Amino acid sequence: MGSTPVSKDADERLKLIPLLCSCSFVVFFFRCISQQEICSATCWIGTLKGNFEKMSDVKGQKTPKIPVWDLPDVPKGVLPPHIELQRTRVLCTSEAPTYTESVQYSGAYASMGVDNSFSFAEFKKNFKVDLVSLDEDDMEFDMIGIDAAIANAFRRILIAELPTMAIQSVFIANNTSVIPDESIAHRLGLVPLKIDPRLFDYISENDEPNEKNTIVFKLHVRCEKKGPRLSVKSNELKWLPNGSELLLDESTSGSSSKIRTRTSFSRSQDLLSGFKDPIGPGNNDILIARLGAGQEIELEAHANKGIGRTHAKWSPVATAWYRMLPEIVLLEEIKGDKAEELVKKCPVKVFDIEDIPEGGRRAAVARPRACTLCRECIRGDDWEKLVAVRRVKDHFIFRIESTGALPPDVLFTEALKILEQKCERVIAELS
């Protein structure tokens, strides 16, 4: 049987379909304003192209009339699953992580009917802090529902803007050791001091050292001539609550002469309120120098208040860092020898083997937080089709390691106060 020829009217309608599709493509692409929407547009175009090819290949049948408003459209008010995944996750392939950027523009998904603008109500609803571990010097917690810029702001404040007390001036009366004076002063400056900086004031060039802005330590160690070599450690630093004992000058011009020291304390620091614990180094086992037979060190060290932006010795943390929460997803069920191979591929033991009720064994994600993003589990033949390695963009694992001046939980609350002051200053400038 011969094929039925397509009518002239149907043929004309068929020619209009590419034109309508082209117009729709142009309008849709001009409305796209982000890479994610272009991906969505590409999928939409592919759907239209497939439908058009199916209609074009139909021979012997009358082509139906399709109104332009019946063409498939992008769902309004909700992002497609693959776009939502790219917006909220960092996708890690065997070569490199992808979609690492954050979409901040409020109209990024306007063509799909999704408002991407910041909502304070949504932020309050989603933001939370979960404490994972806390001890004297270390703290680990999760910050959920914030952008990487906010997490980085906390990190920078902790490192560079939280004040502490550190040794700033060293007055050496006697040093017969092999270590130069400036090297001893440098070592002393890096010794963390267990002092609450909130009890003290900053000192300027024009200020006199007093009980509210200066803490004085004395170190005097001598190695006997016939004795063994002596290690000078930070526990030799003795707090002088009454101020300096080194004479600045001595006047003997009359009975009213007064001996001056390098500080001018009006009263003893141990009488001030707030001093609950003795002032001293945060760690008593820090090596400062080694003395040989007959060698001696006598000095006085003055500590002042400062911030890490001025010098690293004032930084209250040994380190403060964060990372995105790892998310490991098994795209297919992995059983038998393949499961054993997957467990062996991971160097930090993220995966484990579990029994199946029906019999046999399969792989399971046991410790996703331990993932270091080495991506060994997705390297090799077809492993990317079985395992997906991702990072949650708004979930940060934060860790603070204090030097000992203040507990890590106090450091975090003080960082919050500084960030609040910065925000208030910006609001005041704008208003």
Side-chain angles (χ1 to χ4, degrees):
M1 294 179 60
S3 59
T4 305
V6 179
S7 65
K8 185 177 181 180
D9 293 338
D11 188 54
E12 292 297 329
R13 289 195 296 268
L14 191 62
K15 292 179 180 179
L16 289 175
I17 292 177
L19 178 61
L20 294 173
C21 292
S22 299
C23 294
S24 301
F25 297 163
V26 173
V27 173
F28 191 83
F29 267 105
F30 271 106
R31 293 174 66 188
C32 290
I33 50 178
S34 69
Q35 181 181 1
Q36 284 84 353
E37 291 187 37
I38 292 175
C39 296
S40 177
T42 305
C43 298
W44 183 68
I45 291 169
T47 304
L48 289 180
K49 182 179 179 181
N51 294 338
F52 174 69
E53 290 177 350
K54 289 180 181 178
M55 291 186 293
S56 305
D57 292 340
V58 175
K59 294 183 179 180
Q61 298 182 9
K62 186 176 180 179
T63 305
K65 183 178 180 180
I66 303 177
V68 67
W69 48 82
D70 289 341
L71 293 174
D73 200 358
V74 177
K76 296 294 183 180
V78 61
L79 293 177
H82 66 289
I83 300 295
E84 180 66 20
L85 186 67
Q86 295 168 8
R87 187 183 72 87
T88 60
R89 299 292 188 271
V90 175
L91 308 181
C92 304
T93 65
S94 58
E95 296 180 355
T98 58
Y99 303 104
T100 57
E101 71 282 354
S102 297
V103 182
Q104 302 290 345
Y105 177 50
S106 60
Y109 307 107
S111 61
M112 288 176 264
V114 176
D115 184 10
N116 194 51
S117 59
F118 176 79
S119 171
F120 185 66
E122 285 294 319
F123 174 78
K124 289 176 62 178
K125 177 182 177 182
N126 297 328
F127 177 71
K128 62 179 180 178
V129 178
D130 291 338
L131 183 63
V132 178
S133 63
L134 174 64
D135 56 30
E136 185 178 357
D137 295 323
D138 298 337
M139 179 172 71
E140 182 177 322
F141 57 94
D142 290 1
M143 298 180 69
I144 306 169
I146 63 170
D147 188 74
I150 305 298
N152 193 49
F154 281 117
R155 183 189 67 85
R156 291 175 65 91
I157 290 173
L158 284 165
I159 293 174
E161 299 189 44
L162 278 182
T164 59
M165 302 294 289
I167 293 174
Q168 172 68 0
S169 303
V170 178
F171 303 97
I172 297 180
N174 187 18
N175 176 24
T176 59
S177 70
V178 297
I179 302 179
D181 294 353
E182 56 270 21
S183 296
I184 293 178
H186 182 264
R187 290 190 180 188
L188 289 172
L190 296 178
V191 174
L193 303 177
K194 194 172 184 179
I195 308 167
D196 191 345
R198 296 170 293 184
L199 303 174
F200 293 88
D201 301 328
Y202 289 99
I203 185 172
S204 65
E205 295 180 356
N206 301 322
D207 292 336
E208 287 288 334
N210 56 55
E211 69 276 7
K212 291 298 293 181
N213 59 29
T214 303
I215 300 174
V216 181
F217 294 95
K218 179 181 179 180
L219 188 149
H220 189 187
V221 182
R222 179 188 294 114
C223 182
E224 300 297 333
K225 290 185 177 181
K226 296 183 180 180
R229 290 177 62 87
L230 183 64
S231 296
V232 181
K233 297 187 177 181
S234 54
N235 61 344
E236 298 291 343
L237 286 169
K238 307 301 180 183
W239 174 40
L240 301 179
N242 294 314
S244 174
E245 295 179 352
L246 289 180
L247 300 182
L248 184 62
D249 60 2
E250 186 175 356
S251 175
T252 58
S253 58
S255 60
S256 60
S257 62
K258 181 180 179 182
I259 297 176
R260 296 180 57 195
T261 61
R262 295 189 177 274
T263 59
S264 55
F265 283 19
S266 60
R267 56 176 174 169
S268 178
Q269 286 181 329
D270 52 10
L271 299 177
L272 299 176
S273 60
F275 290 92
K276 299 178 181 179
D277 300 322
I279 292 177
N283 189 326
N284 290 323
D285 201 36
I286 299 175
L287 183 64
I288 297 174
R290 291 270 290 173
L291 299 182
Q295 294 179 349
E296 180 183 4
I297 295 178
E298 183 182 2
L299 57 84
E300 203 172 77
H302 294 195
N304 302 118
K305 187 176 180 178
I307 59 175
R309 183 189 298 171
T310 304
H311 194 284
K313 65 184 177 183
W314 278 298
S315 181
V317 294
T319 183
W321 57 274
Y322 63 87
R323 63 189 177 102
M324 294 181 184
L325 177 72
E327 184 180 71
I328 315 298
V329 180
L330 299 180
L331 304 177
E332 297 181 10
E333 194 172 52
I334 304 175
K335 302 179 181 179
D337 295 340
K338 203 77 171 175
E340 298 284 353
E341 182 182 354
L342 178 62
V343 172
K344 293 179 181 179
K345 284 172 71 70
C346 181
V348 292
K349 307 302 180 185
V350 170
F351 304 97
D352 205 348
I353 299 294
E354 65 179 11
D355 296 326
I356 305 175
E358 297 81 10
R361 309 183 76 191
R362 65 182 177 189
V365 181
R367 292 169 290 276
R369 287 177 70 97
C371 178
T372 59
L373 199 62
C374 67
R375 305 193 298 276
E376 285 295 327
C377 58
I378 56 177
R379 289 192 172 97
D381 298 335
D382 298 330
W383 277 106
E384 286 193 68
K385 298 179 181 179
L386 302 176
V387 182
V389 180
R390 305 167 184 164
R391 297 282 191 182
V392 184
K393 288 184 179 180
D394 65 345
H395 190 145
F396 297 93
I397 300 173
F398 214 106
R399 189 172 185 87
I400 300 174
E401 298 179 15
S402 172
T403 58
L406 289 173
D409 54 333
V410 176
L411 293 177
F412 181 69
T413 55
E414 291 298 311
L416 282 173
K417 294 177 183 178
I418 292 178
L419 183 60
E420 183 180 5
Q421 293 171 3
K422 288 176 176 287
C423 295
E424 290 176 351
R425 189 159 58 247
V426 171
I427 293 172
E429 290 292 335
L430 293 177
S431 60

